[in-house]
Amino acid sequence: MNRRIKFLSGLFLSVIIFIISCNDKGNGQHVSLKTLPPIVIKKSGAEIFQYWEFKDDPFLWDTNFVQPPALKLYKDSISKILGKDTFQLILQKLSFQDISYKSISTTNGDSINAQLVHTKTIGTIRPISYLEAQLLDYQISRYPLLSHPTEFHGFILFHDSLKLVKIYFAASDQPWPPKPGVILEAVKNDLKRGWSFKYHLHNHYEPKSNRYLGILAPSMTDAQYYMFLSEEINLQQSLITNGFHTIEIKRNEFQKFKSPDNN
């Protein structure tokens, strides 16, 4: 009798462990950029240039996941500050893409780029993914987005045969990210070793007067930078996130946006 009880208890424990491990894998909770030590390339004051490297996995691009703590606090705070109804209205407006979107006549290149996105002419808006959330959470854990807003660079590379992903990260304490010269050189070397530069990610935000949520469209300087990255280190796709949604822009779409070169 005791042997049977011990056997059933052991079997029950094994099943529970298996279920927990499956759930953890499905939610992608076993990769956290705040606990995974980065390789630091350069650090100068508040400026950091570093990278992480780990196994590629589909969960990295899952849009259904447990929100990392700093990002969740940011989202909850914005909802509370703006009020639930206003918050939902702005969120819906920023992520809206349809040919029915009413364009306005303007000569402002940044506004034209936003209209190209919202009229569904260029790019695709979707919910933020797990990996994007991890990168934004990492930076806003350093400098809270509401009280000390910043932007970061994320250079995301893949090695298909080794099934690895490498993420270069550049950020500081300033509203804009630092010039990532050391990262560009590192990426060039990686391209010679079988890596491909698939995504460039950065975040957008707005000041309090514009109600915080970042625009999901490239500025003119963003568009110009994408062309540079495409020509210099073969960027395949750009990503812009505001913490809630992300826009995907393909390489053949970069030149369709307004930039200082074609405005």
Side-chain angles (χ1 to χ4, degrees):
M1 187 66 178
N2 288 338
R3 289 180 179 178
R4 185 179 179 184
I5 292 174
K6 288 180 179 179
F7 172 77
L8 291 175
S9 298
L11 180 62
F12 178 74
L13 181 60
S14 298
V15 170
I16 293 298
I17 292 173
F18 174 76
I19 292 173
I20 291 174
S21 65
C22 288
N23 286 339
D24 283 347
K25 183 172 178 58
N27 290 329
Q29 298 305 301
H30 56 290
V31 170
S32 170
L33 297 185
K34 286 193 294 188
T35 58
L36 186 64
I39 305 299
V40 177
I41 303 173
K42 179 182 177 182
K43 187 172 182 180
S44 177
E47 292 185 355
I48 57 172
F49 305 88
Q50 60 190 38
Y51 71 88
W52 297 268
E53 184 180 313
F54 45 83
K55 285 290 184 182
D56 188 15
D57 198 297
F59 80 79
L60 294 172
W61 304 103
D62 191 3
T63 57
N64 182 22
F65 56 89
V66 177
Q67 297 289 320
L71 181 57
K72 185 178 186 304
L73 176 61
Y74 167 68
K75 291 182 174 183
D76 291 345
S77 298
I78 287 186
S79 179
K80 186 176 181 180
I81 291 169
L82 297 178
K84 187 175 180 180
D85 292 341
T86 300
F87 167 71
Q88 289 297 332
L89 184 65
I90 297 173
L91 199 61
Q92 183 179 7
K93 180 180 178 181
L94 287 173
S95 61
F96 182 82
Q97 281 188 294
D98 196 274
I99 57 174
S100 65
Y101 183 86
K102 294 181 179 180
S103 300
I104 59 172
S105 180
T106 179
T107 58
N108 183 288
D110 291 345
S111 296
I112 292 173
N113 288 349
Q115 290 184 146
L116 289 170
V117 168
H118 290 303
T119 55
K120 210 174 183 179
T121 305
I122 306 176
T124 302
I125 295 176
R126 56 158 172 78
I128 189 173
S129 72
Y130 178 83
L131 182 57
E132 294 157 357
Q134 282 289 315
L135 284 163
L136 183 55
D137 182 76
Y138 185 88
Q139 178 61 5
I140 64 180
S141 295
R142 300 176 68 232
Y143 302 102
L145 199 51
L146 281 177
S147 59
H148 192 143
T150 61
E151 290 184 7
F152 66 85
H153 283 294
F155 294 72
I156 304 173
L157 283 68
F158 291 84
H159 199 298
D160 292 336
S161 61
L162 298 179
K163 296 182 179 179
L164 293 174
V165 59
K166 179 182 285 188
I167 306 164
Y168 287 99
F169 182 84
S172 71
D173 60 348
Q174 297 300 305
W176 50 87
K179 294 181 179 180
V182 293
I183 288 179
L184 294 179
E185 291 304 312
V187 172
K188 288 178 182 179
N189 289 329
D190 285 337
L191 295 180
K192 298 174 184 177
R193 295 196 290 264
W195 291 85
S196 60
F197 180 25
K198 191 164 186 181
Y199 302 113
H200 176 273
L201 169 70
H202 79 287
N203 64 301
H204 275 179
Y205 65 88
E206 287 292 318
K208 180 180 179 181
S209 57
N210 288 342
R211 299 188 287 192
Y212 303 109
L213 278 76
I215 297 169
L216 292 173
S219 66
M220 290 200 298
T221 52
D222 287 340
Q224 183 182 48
Y225 190 58
Y226 296 153
M227 289 298 298
F228 165 77
L229 292 178
S230 173
E231 295 167 0
E232 190 76 7
I233 50 178
N234 202 29
L235 170 64
Q236 298 176 31
Q237 192 168 329
S238 65
L239 305 170
I240 303 171
T241 190
N242 61 9
F244 299 87
H245 293 88
T246 298
I247 181 168
E248 300 177 345
I249 306 168
K250 296 178 181 178
R251 180 177 184 173
N252 61 5
E253 296 176 318
F254 295 164
Q255 61 185 359
K256 299 177 182 179
F257 285 108
K258 288 292 183 181
S259 74
D261 297 327
N262 65 12
N263 188 40

